[in-house]
Amino acid sequence: METMTTPPRVLTIAGSDSGGGAGIQADLKTMLALGVHGMSVIAAVTAQNSLGVQGYWELPPEAVRAQLDSVLGDIGAQAIKTGMLASPALVETVAEVLAGVAVPVVVDPVGVSKHGDSLLRPEAVETVRRTLLPTATVVTPNLWEVEQLTNVKVEDEADLPRAAEAVLALGPKWALVKGGHLPGEPVDLLTDGSAEHRFTAERLDNRHTHGTGCTLASAIASYLALGEDVPGAVRRAKEYVTGAIAHGFPLGAGIGPVDHGWRTRADA
């Protein structure tokens, strides 16, 4: 009789994207594609499509706490990823639980959507700084989120180390500063304050990039759960996301999503 092997488990704590390109939906698709079992704690529900976010509704903190207790109390996780947490109360609720876990935590400090819609209340930014970032094994801000969190504005690649240093000062073990919005070849800088790794990728001529940040953070969490160290997890996650962006497809009248299942379709 065949013995069934349970794959590594990864928990995402984030918002739902009704359009299926970002948020919880992107996280779970990424986890499935990379061979781990994805689980979810929904912190907020968005009304969202290819044109933008038309509205969002936060879940009560007790509902988020109950989901966390339910999954972690029975199933457990080998890695945890956070995305849209929306409010100070939700950030504090999640941070309190994460402070007590012994597995890697990947924090995507979601501030705005791909369309520029705010997904984090202004008053929650300080709560993210104070309570959430110290729980992170890796934090993955884009340049706008770096500025929101640290007031450091990145103008070119030479500014990346200063930005990473400012992020590390807030308490995470590693900072991955994503330089995709800089002119020229995209460069991401990963550092823990001593080791420094730079990741480059060609700039792809594809506007269908909805869900890129969620997908990258979930891929990093998945590879950490599979046993990679942080630099290895980021390198493999970047390879997966680069392929997903290359295969991004049109959907609706606006910005389409990256293709989470690109490897499956490429093999078909």
Side-chain angles (χ1 to χ4, degrees):
M1 182 177 160
E2 186 182 350
T3 305
M4 306 305 279
T5 304
T6 304
R9 292 142 288 160
V10 182
L11 175 63
T12 169
I13 310 163
S16 165
D17 171 6
S18 53
I24 291 278
Q25 287 79 357
D27 299 340
L28 294 176
K29 290 174 188 179
T30 299
M31 292 167 191
L32 180 64
L34 299 183
V36 300
H37 174 69
M39 306 167 295
S40 62
V41 167
I42 297 177
V45 175
T46 70
Q48 185 172 171
N49 56 25
S50 71
L51 298 172
V53 179
Q54 290 80 44
Y56 74 79
W57 297 264
E58 299 155 20
L59 266 72
E62 58 269 26
V64 171
R65 182 66 192 244
Q67 292 175 79
L68 283 163
D69 291 346
S70 180
V71 173
L72 295 175
D74 173 49
I75 302 169
Q78 273 71 55
I80 299 172
K81 175 255 173 179
T82 73
M84 175 189 180
L85 298 179
S87 72
L90 292 180
V91 173
E92 283 187 351
T93 298
V94 171
E96 186 182 319
V97 172
L98 295 184
V101 302
V103 300
V105 173
V106 180
V107 171
D108 181 11
V110 174
V112 294
S113 75
K114 180 68 69 183
H115 300 84
D117 304 296
S118 178
L119 298 174
L120 183 71
R121 287 202 233 153
E123 64 269 26
V125 175
E126 178 54 34
T127 318
V128 169
R129 284 194 199 104
R130 182 173 45 81
T131 68
L132 188 63
L133 294 190
T135 71
T137 308
V138 194
V139 61
T140 63
N142 61 29
L143 300 184
W144 188 89
E145 289 156 353
V146 166
E147 188 175 355
Q148 185 185 45
L149 292 166
T150 68
N151 295 319
V152 173
K153 190 169 178 61
V154 177
E155 305 279 4
D156 55 40
E157 190 182 335
D159 293 333
L160 290 175
R162 186 168 60 93
E165 187 180 327
V167 173
L168 286 175
L170 297 172
K173 292 187 179 71
W174 290 83
L176 176 65
V177 177
K178 300 181 293 191
H181 292 108
L182 290 174
E185 289 273 287
V187 178
D188 296 350
L189 175 65
L190 173 71
T191 180
D192 63 351
S194 53
E196 195 175 281
H197 306 264
R198 285 176 191 253
F199 300 90
T200 58
E202 62 176 308
R203 189 174 294 284
L204 299 165
D205 184 20
N206 186 355
R207 66 189 286 261
H208 302 301
T209 55
H210 184 53
T212 310
C214 307
T215 300
L216 178 65
S218 291
I220 294 169
S222 297
Y223 282 122
L224 289 172
L226 288 162
E228 292 279 357
D229 62 8
V230 171
V234 172
R235 178 181 56 78
R236 295 188 67 184
K238 286 281 296 175
E239 289 168 2
Y240 169 71
V241 171
T242 299
I245 293 171
H247 291 81
F249 51 84
L251 199 70
I255 298 172
V258 302
D259 185 1
H260 299 97
W262 69 272
R263 284 179 174 157
T264 308
R265 277 185 263 280
D267 292 344

